[in-house]
Amino acid sequence: MNPASVGSVLIGGPYTKAGPAKDTPSRRAIFVCQPRLPAEERACATKILSRVARLAYRRPVTSRDVQTLVEFFDNGRRDGRLRQGSGEPRRSDAESGTFDAGIQFALERMLVDPDFLLRIHRESALQASQTAYPLDGVELASRLSFFLWSSIPDDRLLALAERGQLTNPSILVAEVQRMLADPRAADTLVNDFAAQWLNLRRVEEVVVDQDRYPNYDLSLLQAFQRETELFVAARSARIAASLKLLNADYTFVNERLARHYGIPRVYGSRFRRVTLPNLDQRGGLLGQGALLAATSYPIGRPLCCAANGC
């Protein structure tokens, strides 16, 4: 279907008023307690907000942090601000003033806090003196998690940092290996680090002279990019084998890419790992189409391309 021919799209429903969800994974992660009596609400709110703020701020929370959030809980509990700011109509007065409304209002305050929005590096005396200094556990946990996961530290990593154990070399290595084994690491290293490092985002923008290269098309450029993504992801969990990025004897291809590389007996659109028949020509990153396409310019060819005759 041609998108230009679509005049409008109308989506309806749901039409029944079900109210807020009461049992979802995200609610269970936030609501670690439920007050049975009004007198228990403030203590339960303090427990919930202290736990979430510790993860959101990526550090131990202070009494002032918690006090600020509990004050917002009190206001939301009293005024009934449930679901405001979410694009949904304000709930009726009969439904306002709930415990959930107070928690939501406090969470909204948390999500605009500079300690959540920004990665703040507070200057110490050592930093001011411009000398090399070791990172403390909390700083190390935050840097590790954003580099390997593009997200905040999980509870285990933060707990080790708070206990001062993360700077222990053996524990640090074990945690890095655990984080690399997490699917988030492969996604981050491929889609963020490798995509910027290898300029993969530019591959589909490469303009090819169709008269000189009639077999080049968008599907081939997309296959170039996917090959390198799969290749980097396969190596991301192997710290000691990083040199294999340059001299690996395998790659990932589908039928379209295999035909371009001259690799026989590969059929279908599914990418699969194959052993390279000519390691000198295609081994490692430097022989992959994505890198060659992204670094090729009309004034000449990259050295690796010229040497490999591609």
Side-chain angles (χ1 to χ4, degrees):
M1 181 177 63
N2 182 3
S5 65
V6 179
S8 64
V9 176
L10 180 63
I11 300 174
Y15 299 106
T16 57
K17 186 177 181 181
K22 293 299 183 183
D23 185 27
T24 64
S26 57
R27 276 189 63 87
R28 289 194 295 271
I30 295 172
F31 288 87
V32 293
C33 61
Q34 280 290 348
R36 292 172 296 179
L37 301 171
E40 300 174 351
E41 289 188 357
R42 219 165 185 268
C44 181
T46 300
K47 181 178 181 180
I48 290 171
L49 297 172
S50 298
R51 177 182 173 278
V52 178
R54 171 178 168 268
L55 294 173
Y57 299 161
R58 306 173 293 281
R59 59 169 174 77
V61 292
T62 65
S63 57
R64 184 174 180 178
D65 294 327
V66 177
Q67 180 183 353
T68 299
L69 294 172
V70 171
E71 288 174 358
F72 273 79
F73 164 79
D74 290 338
N75 292 335
R77 176 68 177 88
R78 181 181 62 252
D79 299 339
R81 298 175 179 268
L82 185 62
R83 307 184 75 82
Q84 288 290 61
S86 63
E88 299 186 21
R90 184 181 180 87
R91 297 172 65 85
S92 66
D93 292 339
E95 296 172 298
S96 65
T98 65
F99 178 77
D100 286 13
I103 294 296
Q104 177 175 325
F105 195 41
L107 292 178
E108 290 173 359
R109 167 61 179 82
M110 187 187 303
L111 295 177
V112 298
D113 194 291
D115 278 329
F116 171 74
L117 295 173
L118 306 173
R119 292 168 59 190
I120 299 173
H121 302 289
R122 293 178 172 83
E123 189 175 71
S124 65
L126 285 174
Q127 289 173 282
S129 65
Q130 297 184 346
T131 58
Y133 66 96
L135 296 174
D136 65 32
V138 173
E139 289 176 323
L140 184 57
S142 187
R143 295 192 187 196
L144 265 181
S145 64
F146 278 102
F147 176 63
L148 295 178
W149 287 346
S150 287
S151 186
I152 61 176
D154 63 4
D155 188 69
R156 172 172 163 173
L157 187 66
L158 196 52
L160 288 170
E162 290 170 344
R163 294 197 296 266
Q165 296 176 319
L166 190 59
T167 52
N168 181 306
S170 61
I171 293 177
L172 177 60
V173 169
E175 282 303 292
V176 169
Q177 291 174 337
R178 176 182 73 88
M179 296 174 74
L180 286 172
D182 190 290
R184 287 175 290 180
D187 290 342
T188 298
L189 291 175
V190 170
N191 297 324
D192 293 338
F193 176 72
Q196 181 174 349
W197 171 42
L198 302 174
N199 216 1
L200 295 183
R201 298 184 182 100
R202 185 180 174 272
V203 172
E204 289 191 23
E205 300 173 3
V206 172
V207 178
V208 177
D209 186 340
Q210 291 296 319
D211 293 331
R212 297 185 63 183
Y213 305 104
N215 293 325
Y216 273 75
D217 54 22
L218 182 59
S219 65
L220 180 60
L221 294 175
Q222 290 172 338
F224 282 163
Q225 183 171 343
R226 186 58 180 155
E227 173 197 19
T228 302
E229 290 172 351
L230 292 171
F231 180 79
V232 173
R235 304 238 54 94
S236 63
R238 303 180 184 182
I239 302 174
S242 57
L243 287 178
K244 286 290 185 180
L245 286 169
L246 300 179
N247 62 3
D249 62 353
Y250 67 90
T251 190
F252 295 85
V253 297
N254 62 359
E255 181 179 355
R256 178 70 180 87
L257 187 57
R259 185 169 67 251
H260 178 76
Y261 284 168
I263 300 174
R265 295 184 296 278
V266 176
Y267 306 103
S269 60
R270 180 181 62 86
F271 278 80
R272 77 289 314 264
R273 175 170 166 163
V274 297
T275 301
L276 293 167
N278 186 346
L279 182 59
D280 293 333
Q281 185 177 24
R282 287 292 171 193
L285 279 173
L286 297 182
Q288 292 181 4
L291 193 64
L292 298 176
T295 57
S296 295
Y297 299 95
I299 58 174
R301 293 183 298 169
L303 178 61
C304 56
C305 183
N308 289 330
C310 53

